[in-house]
Amino acid sequence: MLPVKDIGRLLLRCADQPGLVAAVSSFLAQAGANIISLDQHSTEQTGGTFMQRTVFHLSGLTAARDALAREFAEHVAEKFDMEFSLTEAAKPKRVAIMASKEDHCLLDLLWRNQRGDLDMSVVMVIANHPDLADRVRPFGTPFIHTPAHKQIRAEAERRQLELLRGNVDLVVLARYMQILSPHFLEEVGCPVISIYHSFLPAFIGAAPYRLAKERGVQLVCATAHYVTQQLADGPIIEQDAVRVDHCHTVEDLARLGADVERVTLSRAVLWHCEDRVIRYDNKTVVL
C-alpha cells in the first residue's frame, strides 16, 4: 500500500464552465501542494455537470487542512458555485456494518479490512439477530445485538441512532434485512450503502433464487447503491453479474449470488472509502 501521510483528496461538483481545472490546479500550486493524480468528467460537452477528483501531496496537511478548506471555499468554490469535500487519505473512514443472519457480505468486509485491502476503521457491527456474534468475535470488532422488526422499528432505530450518530462516517448494510425508515436516514448523519440481488423487482419475496430458476434466468446479478427513502432506488455505485445456465440448481444460484453480492459490495465500499464516488441527480460517477 502506498504511503498516505500528507496525501489529500479533493472532490468537487459544479456546473461545467471554462477555467475549472485551471482554478483548482492554481489554488493547490499556490498552497504548495503537488498534484499526484487528477480525474474529471463532464456529463455534457457544454452545459453539463462537472466532477473532479484530485489527489495531492502537501507537507503538514493535517495541520493545514481546515485552513486550506476555508481558503478553497472562499477563493474557488464560491466563485464557481461548487460543492466539494477535502479529506486526508491517512484518516480512514469510521464504518459501522449492519447485518441480520447472512454472513457472506459481513465476513468479506471484515476479512478484507483485516488484510489491509479495505482501508477503513470498522467501529461496530450492529445486528438484529445474535447469530453472527461468534463469527465476528475473532476480528476484534464490537458486536451489538439490537433486536429489530416491523413491530418495534421505532425503538430499534432510536437505539441504533444512539450508537451511530456522530460516531461513524459510513453505514454499510451487509444484507441487513430490515427496511430503514425515512427518519433514520435523515438522522444518521452519513451515507448508507446497501447490496441487493438484481432479481428485483421481478422476483420478490423469500425465495428469489427458486423463482429465478423456474424462470430460467441466465444471469445472477448484484447491485450496490446508496440508500435513499425510495427502497432499492438510490444511486448505483457498482453492479456485477455471473452467467448461469440450465445445469445450475437453486443452491448453485444462491451460492453464486452470495459470491457476486460480497464482491460487488466490497468494491463499492472501497471506492467510497477512497473518496472516488461523486453523486449527482440519482446517479454516481466513480473516478
Side-chain angles (χ1 to χ4, degrees):
M1 184 177 294
L2 294 175
V4 294
K5 186 178 186 301
D6 294 329
I7 302 298
R9 299 173 182 145
L10 175 63
L11 266 67
L12 60 89
R13 183 187 69 188
C14 64
D16 196 10
Q17 54 198 290
L20 292 169
V21 176
V24 174
S25 301
S26 296
F27 173 85
L28 290 174
Q30 291 170 8
N34 180 57
I35 293 176
I36 300 169
S37 66
L38 188 155
D39 297 287
Q40 64 187 74
H41 174 71
S42 184
T43 59
E44 304 289 343
Q45 290 186 357
T46 59
T49 298
F50 177 82
M51 290 158 278
Q52 180 174 305
R53 178 183 187 262
T54 308
V55 180
F56 62 91
H57 177 271
L58 178 63
S59 297
L61 176 62
T62 297
R65 196 203 74 85
D66 290 345
L68 190 70
R70 286 195 300 269
E71 291 170 9
F72 184 83
E74 179 180 352
H75 298 295
V76 181
E78 184 175 341
K79 176 182 178 181
F80 293 102
D81 194 21
M82 288 179 179
E83 295 181 11
F84 78 95
S85 66
L86 177 59
T87 61
E88 296 178 63
K91 293 185 176 179
K93 301 255 189 307
R94 300 167 299 167
V95 177
I97 304 175
M98 297 179 68
S100 290
K101 291 184 177 182
E102 296 186 57
D103 66 358
H104 57 285
C105 288
L106 169 63
L107 296 184
D108 188 72
L109 291 168
L110 294 174
W111 178 75
R112 292 176 190 269
N113 181 235
Q114 187 180 71
R115 281 175 48 88
D117 296 337
L118 257 178
D119 188 22
M120 60 185 184
S121 175
V122 184
V123 297
M124 69 186 83
V125 172
I126 299 175
N128 64 319
H129 295 280
D131 304 50
L132 301 179
D134 289 341
R135 295 173 214 180
V136 171
R137 189 171 295 111
F139 293 96
T141 301
F143 181 91
I144 304 167
H145 174 219
T146 59
H149 51 78
K150 184 177 181 180
Q151 287 69 34
I152 60 168
R153 179 176 298 162
E155 175 59 24
E157 290 191 348
R158 183 193 65 78
R159 172 59 176 150
Q160 291 163 353
L161 287 171
E162 289 176 352
L163 295 165
L164 296 170
R165 192 188 288 116
N167 294 320
V168 297
D169 304 305
L170 175 69
V171 174
V172 180
L173 306 184
R175 297 294 289 162
Y176 180 67
M177 304 305 290
Q178 295 291 311
I179 297 174
L180 299 178
S181 72
H183 173 75
F184 180 97
L185 296 173
E186 290 172 1
E187 293 294 322
V188 70
C190 68
V192 180
I193 294 176
S194 185
I195 185 77
Y196 66 90
H197 60 74
S198 292
F199 293 143
L200 296 174
F203 308 128
I204 61 175
Y209 290 101
R210 179 180 58 78
L211 296 173
K213 172 67 175 177
E214 292 173 355
R215 185 68 180 272
V217 299
Q218 302 295 308
L219 292 171
V220 172
C221 314
T223 296
H225 66 103
Y226 289 112
V227 178
T228 63
Q229 295 184 16
Q230 287 71 44
L231 182 63
D233 194 37
I236 293 170
I237 306 169
E238 171 64 336
Q239 293 179 300
D240 205 348
V242 59
R243 183 164 290 281
V244 297
D245 60 30
H246 59 278
C247 295
H248 289 95
T249 65
V250 173
E251 292 73 22
D252 290 334
L253 297 184
R255 174 177 52 81
L256 292 168
D259 283 346
V260 74
E261 283 176 4
R262 63 182 179 80
V263 172
T264 302
L265 180 60
S266 291
R267 277 201 294 262
V269 172
L270 172 66
W271 294 340
H272 179 93
C273 288
E274 290 182 341
D275 299 303
R276 294 184 178 276
V277 187
I278 300 178
R279 296 170 62 168
Y280 74 102
D281 296 332
N282 198 42
K283 295 176 283 188
T284 69
V285 165
V286 180
L287 297 174

